[in-house]
Amino acid sequence: MSSLLRVEHVTISYNGKPVVQDVSFELKQGEILGIVGESGSGKSTIIKAIMGLLGEEGLVTRGDIWYKGENLTDMSEKKLRKLLGTEIGMVFQKPNPFPMSIYDNIAYGPRVHGLSNKAELDTIVEKSLTGSALWDEVKDRLKKSAMGLSGGQQQRLCIARLLAVEP
C-alpha cells in the first residue's frame, strides 16, 4: 500500500532557530497517527506545515512533505488549498474566522471548489451551522461579520466552515 502522507526530514526554523528538527513519518490510507509532545514542542507547527499554513516572515522549512504522491513543499497556496481542502481539515485551538460575514465564512470552501448555486450554498451553510450547533444562534444574522461572534461561537463557526467541504 502506498503512502497517503509522507513527511521526510522536515526541519522548521524561525529566525535561524530550529523549532522542529528532522521529523519524518509515513501514514498509509486507513491508519491513524497521533502526534504527542509537550506544549511548545512543534506539534501544531508540523500540522501547519502539512496544511501550508506557515506563512510567517522569518520561518524557513526544509525537507519534503508528500500527499498522495504529490510534493506539497513547493506547491502554490491556491493549489495546495484545492488539493487538501476537501480531504484534510484542521480547527485550531484559537478560532480563526475569516474577516467576512458568517455566511461567507461557511460558503468560502464550496465556492473555492466551484460551487456558485445560491440554493445549494444556502443548504450547505444551514447544514454546516446546524452540525456545529450554531444555526439557532446566528440564523437571523448571517450577513453580519463573523468577527463579532463570541470566542465559543467563532470556534463553532470554524468547525462549520470545515464541515461545509465534507473533509
Side-chain angles (χ1 to χ4, degrees), residues 129-165:
L129 288 168
T130 299
S132 68
L134 190 56
W135 175 252
D136 290 335
E137 296 172 48
V138 301
K139 65 184 174 190
D140 296 325
R141 52 187 176 130
L142 296 175
K143 298 216 182 295
K144 300 279 186 189
S145 172
M147 306 308 281
L149 296 173
S150 72
Q153 289 173 323
Q154 286 183 2
Q155 187 73 36
R156 288 181 283 147
L157 176 84
C158 294
I159 292 168
R161 190 174 61 209
L162 177 67
L163 293 174
V165 293

Side-chain angles (χ1 to χ4, degrees), residues 13-163:
S13 301
Y14 184 69
N15 290 332
K17 180 183 179 221
V19 291
V20 172
Q21 291 187 35
D22 197 28
V23 172
S24 297
F25 62 85
E26 185 174 356
L27 186 64
K28 293 182 174 22
Q29 185 73 37
E31 289 183 329
I32 297 172
L33 172 70
I35 301 175
V36 295
E38 296 177 13
S39 179
S41 65
K43 302 176 301 288
S44 294
T45 302
I46 286 291
I47 302 288
K48 287 178 182 178
I50 293 167
M51 299 293 293
L53 298 174
L54 291 178
E56 286 185 54
E57 198 169 310
L59 209 56
V60 176
T61 304
R62 290 191 181 85
D64 290 299
I65 301 171
W66 297 83
Y67 180 72
K68 291 186 173 179
E70 288 202 56
N71 193 331
L72 307 181
T73 310
D74 297 319
M75 193 176 285
S76 74
E77 185 175 331
K78 186 174 182 176
K79 185 174 179 186
L80 182 62
R81 294 278 178 274
K82 190 157 187 148
L83 175 68
L84 298 179
T86 58
E87 298 186 30
I88 298 175
M90 180 174 179
V91 176
F92 298 97
Q93 183 174 352
K94 181 179 176 201
N96 58 345
F98 299 153
M100 54 182 66
S101 74
I102 294 166
Y103 183 97
D104 288 336
N105 261 271
I106 308 306
Y108 182 84
R111 284 178 177 149
V112 165
H113 294 285
L115 185 62
S116 59
N117 180 289
K118 177 136 174 46
E120 288 181 59
L121 286 170
D122 289 349
T123 299
I124 289 169
V125 167
E126 181 175 349
K127 180 180 175 187
S128 300
L129 288 168
T130 299
S132 68
L134 190 56
W135 175 252
D136 290 335
E137 296 172 48
V138 301
K139 65 184 174 190
D140 296 325
R141 52 187 176 130
L142 296 175
K143 298 216 182 295
K144 300 279 186 189
S145 172
M147 306 308 281
L149 296 173
S150 72
Q153 289 173 323
Q154 286 183 2
Q155 187 73 36
R156 288 181 283 147
L157 176 84
C158 294
I159 292 168
R161 190 174 61 209
L162 177 67
L163 293 174

